[in-house]
Amino acid sequence: MEIELYFFASYRQAIGAKSLSFALEGPLSVRDIASRVEAQYQLSLKGALCAVNEQYVHPDVMVQQGDRLAFFPAVAGG
């Protein structure tokens, strides 16, 4: 099973790519995928906003074959 991962802003800089193909052995939650990305790329996604197929989702949402998962850093203003 394969999905596309997309990274924005500082995450894109840290990964060194706009997107990656990511192989899964079965459906996983956004949280599980984020943990694997963090381990593989030495990156913290804590507090990231997540979207599956262009819809913001909770980290417990399950990702399926062909989905597009995007990570956005949280933005603070003031």
Side-chain angles (χ1 to χ4, degrees):
M1 178 167 127
E2 197 165 291
I3 63 168
E4 286 293 315
L5 300 181
Y6 293 89
F7 302 93
F8 292 87
S10 59
Y11 297 149
R12 181 183 295 178
Q13 292 172 338
I15 296 289
K18 176 182 177 179
S19 65
L20 300 170
S21 291
F22 198 77
L24 304 175
E25 61 277 354
L28 291 175
S29 71
V30 169
R31 185 182 320 274
D32 292 334
I33 294 167
S35 293
R36 291 178 184 205
V37 169
E38 289 176 323
Q40 185 172 347
Y41 292 95
Q42 312 300 308
L43 170 70
S44 175
L45 294 172
K46 185 173 181 167
L49 298 174
C50 308
V52 174
N53 301 326
E54 301 180 12
Q55 296 290 318
Y56 287 111
V57 296
H58 189 274
D60 293 329
V61 165
M62 300 302 287
V63 178
Q64 305 294 325
Q65 168 72 31
D67 281 347
R68 293 168 297 163
L69 172 57
F71 293 101
F72 303 87
V75 177

